[in-house]
Amino acid sequence: MSILVTGGAGYIGSHTAVELLQAGYDVVIVDNLSNARADVIDRIEKITGRRPAFYHASCADPKELERIFSRHTIDAVIHFAGFKAVGESCRKPLQYYRNNLDSTLCLLEAMERFGCRRLVFSSSATVYGMNNPVPYVETMPALSSSSPYGWTKVMNERILTDYAAVHPDASVILLRYFNPIGGHASGLLGDDPNGIPNNLMPYVCRVAAGQLEKLTIFGNDYPTPDGTCLRDYLHVVDLAKGHLRALDYAGTHPGVEAINLGTGKSVSVLELVRAFQNATGVRVPYVMGPRRDGDLPEVWADCSKAKRLLGWQTELDMEEMCRSAWNFVKRHEA
């Protein structure tokens, strides 16, 4: 069975490609490398002993998608491709809407032409917006967001739901995940964004490695126990395995399902920094800064639906998240 992984050279996509290959799937990756590196494909092959087919192309390019679907019999798609930084989306909203919506629309058009009806979508907890209480449950309204990035997830969920409504044989899983961190146990894959990181853990790692002077924590006056934001952090390998479970579920369940993937536990920014220091023995200097646009005080999941429908729950703890993230940075810089 061949699975198309859009954005498959990126952080979550590459870990998911590894799990797919190790499970016996054939993998085709399309990625424009706007926030990834081509040598990730070599690393995937080194881990698995199998090389995925790779296309350096935009998922928003209909001609490239036509070429890919023509060359491969694609049985299902896992769709990661898209810009993903909350703060950046507030500064560059048009860029986010154009890229994130066009990639989904072009992909669905290609799938329709080639009769591919199974899709797992990389959604986000941001679809729950600003007014739902934590923990987030899939039955809550998911029709708003606090950032343009989040709005693209809301809109994409709507597009995919409407698409499935007119294709009774289609199966779409909307995976709403929370805050993935960590890296592959080999040290070959991890969160390695181009430029200055927008997410917390890669920034912490680069400060720890001496590549950046200090960490800025955005806001220490939130209504939380230590004043910093609370998030639901899960290991990226656990998250990747969740995509395989969703892919299996989609094979026998037409329609649309939204499913949270998280730990169901909240950890503050300061707690994560301390956990990293304890796990690695490396000091991370930090300063407090103003709040960042689009950030909410507390975000974490109710994950009971994932356990019930997919038989999935997280297995790796915070210590392993921190240790594996640092192991990737040390190995990558060596």
Side-chain angles (χ1 to χ4, degrees), residues 10-12 35 80-89 96 99-100 122 124 126 147 149-150 152-153 180 191-193 198-199 202:
Y11 175 44
I12 305 171
N35 196 34
F80 295 104
F83 298 150
K84 64 176 186 177
V86 169
E88 182 182 62
S89 76
Y96 270 68
N99 182 74
N100 291 8
S122 167
S124 167
T126 58
S147 69
Y149 160 76
T152 68
K153 295 299 186 183
D191 197 354
D192 189 23
N198 288 293
N199 293 331

Side-chain angles (χ1 to χ4, degrees), residues 182-196:
H184 193 267
S186 66
L188 290 170
L189 294 177
D191 197 354
D192 189 23
N194 296 330
I196 302 297

